[in-house]
Structure formats: C-alpha cells, structure tokens
Amino acid sequence: MGSTYGDWVKQQREAAGLTQQALADAAVMTRSHISHIEAGRRVPSKEDARRLDRALNTGDVLSSFLPQDDSAIADHFESARQFEQQATMIREFALSFVPGILQTKRYARAVLGAAFPPMGEEERDKAVVARLERSKILADPVTPVVWALLDEVVFRRPIGGADVMAEQITHIVRLAECGRVRVHVMPLGLGAYPLLQGMMTLMWFEDQPPVAYSEGVRMGKVHDSPALVEGLQGAYALAMGDALPVRESLALMRATAKDYGHHE
C-alpha cells in the first residue's frame, strides 16, 4: 500500500481531534493496527475500513478507495494475515505442509503448483512472492516469538523433490539453531493426537486478546471466541506434551535432510 492512503487516514483522525487510541477504540481495532495503517505498513481489511469510515464520519471513502492488493493472498486468509503481522507470539501446527512463514521459495512454488485449478505462471509467481513477504516477520530477531509443532509427515512427503525438501528442512533447522524459531516434531509412531483434524495457528498480541486460525481444503477461519481459543490452546499444549524435544526434533530433521541427499 502506498503512503497516500495512510497519510489521509492520519489527516482525518487529526482533523477529528482523535488520538490513535481513541480512533482504535471507536473503530474496535488496536492502536498498533491504526499506527501500521497510517505508516503505510498495513492494508486494512474491508471490515476495518468500514469501521474507520464510521468512526471518522468519512462516508464510504476508506472502504471504496482501499489500495489494490495484488499479492495473491487467498480471501479466506486475509484476516489471518493481518493478525500474523501484528502478533507478538505465534504458535504454528502443521499436518501436511511447512507453515507459510517458514517456507523457502522453491518449496512454496512446489506447494502452490499443486493447486487445482492450476495457476498460471504469473499468478503463481505473485502467490510465491506474497508467501515470502509473510516470512519477513522473522527478520526481527526477537518479535514475534515463533514455535512450530510439525507432524513428521511434513518432512516425509517429498514435495518438490528431494533437493527442494533438503533445502526446506535445512532452512528450518538453521532458524532453530540460531534460536529464532522453536521446533518440535510429532513422530509418526505416536498415533492419534488432538490436532489431527487440520492445521492451526495461535496468535498473541501486545494490546488485544489472542486469536486462533484454522484451515482446511479451500477454507479457513479466524476464531476470536475466548472459550474456543482457550480450547485450541489447550489442545496445542496437550499435543506438545507428546512431541519430540527440540534436540531430538532437530536430529530427526537433520537425518531426514541427509536422506534426501543434502550434505553440509
């Protein structure tokens, strides 16, 4: 998003005599989200834009003139992406694929290449760029804190081929070795456990309640019901108790990368 939109939001807020916190309260948003929008770092969702219009008495201007986002993010994931960019802690669970923020370029391309209906080359390129943009949250050495609980199947299925898998696994190992991401593997021999229904992301924030995001085939949903989020957090904690410790998880991942033909 260009800075013009954010600058205009700021001008309207100041003209209304509102602080960022006051606007956040009126629009049922967070102060940090308002700050990101005004600085041009975030594109508000359509619902956020409608709430800003109501709070600022700007008709439908902010809703009608939302900057075009050509980053090829699936509609059902857009709200989750906004939360992902604001989170101070993220806990991922993946059953089939490496979570998006941990994917390498070639792995992301292979995953997106399996979509049906098939994507055109240009569309897939945009989707890969969008996915890699999400991973930039890891450029900050501290925030967000990221944990990844990954089913062993994630590493055993050779998506993109042996070389792509070796590169992808090694990327995650290096993130874990430098302390940027904490990784635990759910071993295949475990049997059933509470998270087998699908992938899930838990997110915590500096100034708003935690949320969860779950995803299935062509569908995804952000959950903000406190009872439901607490239940999903409990299921994650229970599953974590059965996962391999970090050292054993990394040993398994290194061995798997080696099996794919990777050598340091």
Side-chain angles (χ1 to χ4, degrees):
M1 158 172 102
S3 62
T4 301
Y5 187 91
D7 289 343
W8 198 83
V9 172
K10 181 178 180 180
Q11 290 169 9
Q12 297 305 306
R13 173 179 63 77
E14 291 177 341
L18 298 174
T19 63
Q20 287 185 341
Q21 186 60 61
L23 177 57
D25 292 342
V28 195
M29 297 166 64
T30 67
R31 188 207 58 76
S32 61
H33 197 179
I34 298 295
S35 176
H36 288 318
I37 292 171
E38 291 186 353
R41 294 188 296 267
R42 302 284 185 274
V43 175
S45 67
K46 291 179 180 178
E47 179 56 32
D48 285 344
R50 282 193 287 268
R51 289 201 296 265
L52 286 169
D53 271 328
R54 288 196 295 268
L56 292 169
N57 196 29
T58 48
D60 63 354
V61 174
L62 293 171
S63 305
S64 300
F65 294 97
L66 273 173
Q68 293 299 308
D69 184 357
D70 62 355
S71 59
I73 296 291
D75 290 343
H76 65 254
F77 184 71
E78 180 56 37
S79 295
R81 181 180 69 155
Q82 296 290 333
F83 283 121
E84 184 181 74
Q85 297 296 311
Q86 301 170 54
T88 56
M89 179 180 291
I90 297 173
R91 294 184 183 177
E92 297 273 12
F93 168 71
L95 184 62
S96 304
F97 300 111
V98 171
I101 60 174
L102 302 179
Q103 290 183 8
T104 62
K105 181 177 181 179
R106 292 200 298 165
Y107 183 92
R109 188 170 183 80
V111 169
L112 293 164
F116 185 85
M119 293 183 178
E121 195 71 16
E122 182 178 352
E123 183 183 6
R124 183 163 62 163
D125 286 346
K126 288 182 178 180
V128 170
V129 169
R131 189 154 298 182
L132 296 179
E133 281 291 317
R134 290 172 52 205
S135 69
K136 288 183 178 179
I137 62 175
L138 299 177
D140 186 306
V142 177
T143 304
V145 174
V146 177
W147 292 10
L149 177 58
L150 309 176
D151 194 284
E152 189 176 342
V153 170
V154 170
F155 307 114
R156 297 301 184 187
R157 189 179 304 281
I159 293 173
D163 189 51
V164 170
M165 286 302 300
E167 178 186 57
Q168 175 64 77
I169 294 170
T170 301
H171 173 66
I172 298 174
V173 169
R174 287 173 177 161
L175 286 171
E177 287 175 336
C178 73
R180 186 62 188 86
V181 175
R182 184 180 182 89
V183 181
H184 292 269
V185 175
M186 296 296 288
L188 278 174
L190 176 65
Y193 60 93
L195 301 179
L196 276 173
Q197 293 91 339
M199 68 80 65
M200 181 176 72
T201 304
L202 302 173
M203 291 173 277
W204 286 260
F205 309 90
E206 179 181 351
D207 53 4
Q208 62 181 319
V211 301
Y213 172 73
S214 61
E215 186 170 285
V217 179
R218 295 193 184 180
M219 63 182 68
K221 181 174 177 60
V222 171
H223 308 280
D224 58 7
S225 163
L228 179 54
V229 172
E230 185 177 353
L232 293 173
Q233 290 171 347
Y236 190 98
L238 189 62
M240 185 69 81
D242 289 326
L244 296 178
V246 171
R247 182 176 298 180
E248 293 178 29
S249 295
L250 293 182
L252 183 150
M253 292 169 64
R254 293 188 191 100
T256 306
K258 186 175 181 180
D259 290 342
Y260 280 122
H262 174 80
H263 300 284
E264 291 285 358

